Structures are given as C-alpha cells and as structure tokens.
Amino acid sequence: MNLPKNADYSKAEYWDERYSSEKSFEWLGGFSQFKKEIGELLKHHDVSDAILQLGCGNSSFSAEMKEENWKNITNIDISMNGLKRLQEQECGTELLQMDMTCMPFKDHMFDIVIEKATIDSLLVTADSPWNLNSKEHLLVSQVLREVKRVLRPGGSFISITFSQPHFRVPLLCEKSLNWSVKVLKVSGTGLHSYVMVMRDGDPGPARQAYGYTSNLVIEPNQHWESSDDEKFLDELNLDSDEEDESTTSR
C-alpha cells in the first residue's frame, strides 16, 4: 500500500474508507512495544482504573492492555468503520464514535487517558512544527484541554508519538493545562518513538528542557509528500551511541 497524501491522515473520511477494508494496523507498535515504559509510568494506578483511549482505530492496543489485566477501557474513534473492525477483534470494551475535540463525557471521568499517534495525525498539514498558533496546533490544544477536563485529579495522560520532544512538549506545557511532562525515548528496530506522561504539576522543568526560542524564518516545503509504504517506519534504524537521562532503550 502506497502512502496517501499527508493531508489525508487528518480527514475522517480517509479513515472511514481505509477501515472499510483494512482489518488491523499498528502505528508505532502495539502495547507490548511500550509495556515496560507504560508499566513504570502507571505503577501508582490500579488495574481497575478507568482508561480512555483516543483514536483507537483498528489497533489491538487495548486488547493487549486487557491481557495485562487493564479491564476498564473505553475506546473512541471518529470512524465507525474503525470501531467495527475493533469490535471484531475484542469483546467487553466500550466502543464509542466520537470527536476527541469535543467529548460528551462528564468532567473527571477517567483515571488514565492514552493516545498513540492520534495527535500526530492532526498535525500532518501544519506548515511548521514551530508555529504553535497554526490552526492545526490550536486544534491539538483543544484536544489537550478536553483531556485535562475528563481526567480525574491525580490522573495520567500518556501520549505515544514519533514527534521530537522539542516540537511536542511546548504544546503539552500550555499554561492552562498545569501539567508536568516526563519524556521517555523508546528505541527499537525502526523509527524512535517517545512515551510522554502528563500529570498535575509544574511544567517549568519540561519547558526549560525542551522549549525553544528562535528568530529563524521557517519556509515550509509546500510540495513534498511521503511516497513510500507506511511500513518504512519499521525499517529505519536511527540508533546512536548517545542517550540522555530522560531516555530508555530496548
């Protein structure tokens, strides 16, 4: 399968058409790829805690979590076809068609919110990762405010992404969120990914570590599009000899 245009990843109709024929696809890896990091980050939680997964698609991520005794999981996705595919794979999980920018849940309903590459899909059309005021970044900020609203005090928001921390962390450190941010780097056989956990706390240390100031003028390439198969992500090897204190490796 050749990659679609980058903009397609942000469109609900693209996902609905894709899931009509695609049974399963794992972005960045399944739960087992991140089991060590997530287990460490959630060790103060109970397996009975209420979990919300944003943009579940046709991933087996929640099914794998259930195998690790995390039973109380609600999956949402904007695509009904994605939810139907997931229903074929697992039973006993609540599946809801929903726009994560405006969720009808009551305040403080969940102990844990998880997303894997869902926020990434909202940013594919952004001209520059540095411009936090673009319409794409503002849409992500709306999602983050919704996550903050539905999380219970003391809850955890876990975001799994291939976005570099200096691009993503400034969004997560938005003042109104009042989140501390911890970043773990997961290295495997393919593209590096990051597990970021947000909790009530001081965003200052993360902002200092990953924030930026720049007078550079960014001139985005308006014509470039990915043209390879999506699985090329699994074939990249970006390992280096240097790891900082905030990273973990496989």
Side-chain angles (χ1 to χ4, degrees):
M1 178 182 64
N2 289 329
L3 284 173
K5 293 182 178 179
N6 294 342
D8 289 343
Y9 289 116
S10 64
K11 298 176 181 177
E13 55 269 26
Y14 163 75
W15 293 109
D16 227 28
E17 180 179 356
R18 174 171 175 159
Y19 292 142
S20 67
S21 58
E22 182 184 75
K23 292 185 177 181
S24 181
F25 190 87
E26 284 294 348
W27 295 93
L28 307 182
F31 177 75
S32 59
Q33 172 73 13
F34 307 100
K35 178 180 175 181
K36 177 182 177 181
E37 290 75 21
I38 292 177
E40 178 66 22
L41 294 172
L42 297 183
K43 62 183 179 182
H44 70 287
H45 284 279
D46 190 270
V47 291
S48 64
D49 281 355
I51 300 173
L52 172 65
Q53 182 181 198
L54 308 177
C56 57
N58 57 8
S59 166
S60 63
F61 196 89
S62 60
E64 292 181 51
M65 287 194 74
K66 289 175 69 175
E67 292 174 359
E68 299 295 324
N69 295 317
W70 298 94
K71 303 294 186 183
N72 190 7
I73 303 174
T74 298
N75 285 311
I76 70 169
D77 200 276
I78 202 167
S79 168
M80 180 56 72
N81 285 339
L83 296 171
K84 288 178 180 177
R85 288 296 184 187
L86 197 58
Q87 191 173 37
E88 295 170 359
Q89 300 177 31
E90 58 181 281
C91 301
T93 300
E94 189 171 13
L95 305 172
L96 300 172
Q97 185 180 24
M98 194 177 299
D99 182 347
M100 64 182 177
T101 67
C102 185
M103 296 183 284
F105 297 122
K106 295 179 180 179
D107 294 355
H108 311 312
M109 277 193 64
F110 298 96
D111 302 287
I112 302 164
V113 177
I114 296 178
E115 71 87 21
K116 177 165 67 81
T118 306
I119 288 177
D120 294 338
S121 71
L122 298 183
L123 294 171
V124 292
T125 57
D127 286 342
S128 168
W130 306 102
N131 181 13
L132 302 186
N133 292 315
S134 72
K135 66 180 187 298
E136 294 86 355
H137 285 84
L138 293 176
L139 187 64
V140 169
S141 292
Q142 185 175 337
V143 173
L144 297 178
R145 289 192 294 272
E146 278 291 273
V147 171
K148 176 74 174 183
R149 182 183 64 78
V150 302
L151 263 182
R152 290 173 180 151
S156 300
F157 172 39
I158 290 182
S159 177
I160 303 172
T161 176
F162 54 75
S163 177
Q164 293 292 311
H166 52 274
F167 294 143
R168 184 57 49 83
V169 170
L171 271 171
L172 300 170
C173 287
E174 185 177 309
K175 289 183 178 179
S176 64
L177 299 173
N178 293 315
W179 279 336
S180 65
V181 181
K182 183 175 183 178
V183 179
L184 299 177
K185 181 179 177 181
V186 181
S187 304
T189 58
L191 188 68
H192 293 322
S193 52
Y194 297 88
V195 179
M196 304 181 184
V197 61
M198 282 59 68
R199 299 191 180 100
D200 295 332
D202 179 11
R207 188 181 292 119
Q208 183 175 5
Y210 297 105
Y212 56 84
T213 57
S214 177
N215 294 320
L216 291 175
V217 176
I218 307 299
E219 296 183 2
N221 186 333
Q222 301 287 354
H223 306 291
W224 182 86
E225 292 286 350
S226 300
S227 59
D228 207 338
D229 189 276
E230 285 167 341
K231 292 184 179 179
F232 84 99
L233 295 173
D234 299 325
E235 298 170 359
L236 296 177
N237 190 343
L238 304 180
D239 288 326
S240 66
D241 295 331
E242 297 181 359
E243 296 286 347
D244 61 38
E245 295 179 354
S246 64
T247 66
T248 59
S249 301
R250 287 196 180 282

